[in-house]
Amino acid sequence: GSMAEADKLEASRQALGLFIDRAIPGDELAVASFAGGATRVEVPFTEDLGAVREAMDAWEAYGTTALHDAIARLPEIASAARHPKRAALLITDGVDNASLLSATQAREVVRQAELPVYVLGLSTGDPFRLDPSGAKLFRYADALNLLASLTGGRYHAITGPDAMKEACAAIADDLRYQYVLSFPTAPSGKMVFHRLTVDVPGRKNLRVLTRAGYDGTSPTP
């Protein structure tokens, strides 16, 4: 229901429309919406962009929002894709008033599934901006930024049409130029979280987006 305010629903349509316009043959898109405490897959993975457009044209804002529960379903929805390279785009104003799961629980489900989540936060603001007392100024930005960073995606705070176009172009470029880096791990040992860092020697002003780490045994030479 909160998406009915301040043209947020129209901004969501604009975002998806920008990705449809950038699609190339072979790309698959799926669309899911969450409202009234439920998450519904409106369009399963398809190359039929017309079906995706029809779905977004029919969107309505209503009821309560179970954002964290919807986030936890992202790996299940993504598992239906044919291609191994996949990512989720979450368009939200950050409101959650109906979830059974906490933000931490939902984030952990997605992180373990190794699914990058890119977040378009509609008026959710800067996660690092503080008020004069030192408190976070934007209440939803922190959780959304953490979700994106821990899964290897990126958080974008959307303030208007120009910011939306820039964010969608940046995300589309990220998805087109992904690389898979792999390494062996020990066949046995303690299952713990290992933090990952990717360095690119000799390249200045280059930002690398990666998963924060993985759960498993230790890497082997």
Side-chain angles (χ1 to χ4, degrees):
S2 63
M3 292 292 283
E5 305 168 1
D7 296 324
K8 293 175 184 177
L9 206 58
E10 189 53 42
S12 301
R13 292 191 179 97
Q14 179 193 8
L16 184 53
L18 290 169
F19 276 93
I20 292 174
D21 292 341
R22 282 176 166 264
I24 62 175
D27 283 352
E28 284 187 315
L29 282 78
V31 178
S33 62
F34 47 100
T39 301
R40 182 168 65 96
V41 178
E42 299 178 356
V43 181
F45 276 98
T46 181
E47 294 185 40
D48 182 358
L49 302 181
V52 178
R53 288 190 187 277
E54 287 181 14
M56 75 175 187
D57 288 342
W59 283 343
E60 294 181 358
Y62 66 91
T64 56
T65 305
L67 172 61
H68 306 325
D69 290 355
I71 289 171
R73 283 201 59 194
L74 289 176
E76 172 197 339
I77 296 169
S79 68
R82 289 188 300 118
H83 304 302
K85 189 170 79 172
R86 53 190 73 152
L89 175 67
L90 174 64
I91 308 172
T92 178
D93 60 4
V95 173
D96 189 309
N97 48 30
S99 283
L100 299 177
L101 298 177
S102 68
T104 301
Q105 290 171 318
R107 191 165 55 238
E108 186 64 12
V109 170
V110 181
R111 187 185 65 77
Q112 290 186 0
E114 304 177 9
L115 177 70
V117 179
Y118 290 84
V119 180
L120 295 178
L122 305 181
S123 303
T124 49
D126 183 346
F128 305 108
R129 190 173 173 188
L130 306 178
D131 65 17
S133 69
K136 293 285 186 179
L137 191 60
F138 297 98
R139 59 181 296 198
Y140 301 123
D142 243 5
L144 295 175
N145 181 57
L146 195 56
L147 170 68
S149 61
L150 287 179
T151 59
R154 191 185 301 188
Y155 166 76
H156 295 269
I158 305 302
T159 56
D162 290 340
M164 178 71 81
K165 291 176 183 177
E166 291 175 6
C168 290
I171 294 171
D173 286 343
D174 281 352
L175 297 180
R176 289 280 176 241
Y177 301 106
Q178 283 183 335
Y179 295 87
V180 177
L181 304 178
S182 63
F183 51 86
T185 59
S188 61
K190 190 175 181 180
M191 301 289 287
V192 297
F193 179 74
H194 298 269
R195 188 165 295 279
L196 294 175
T197 302
V198 178
D199 294 320
V200 185
R203 296 293 300 274
K204 295 182 178 180
N205 302 320
L206 187 66
R207 182 184 181 191
V208 180
L209 292 176
T210 68
R211 290 170 49 199
Y214 74 96
D215 291 297
T217 58
S218 299
T220 57

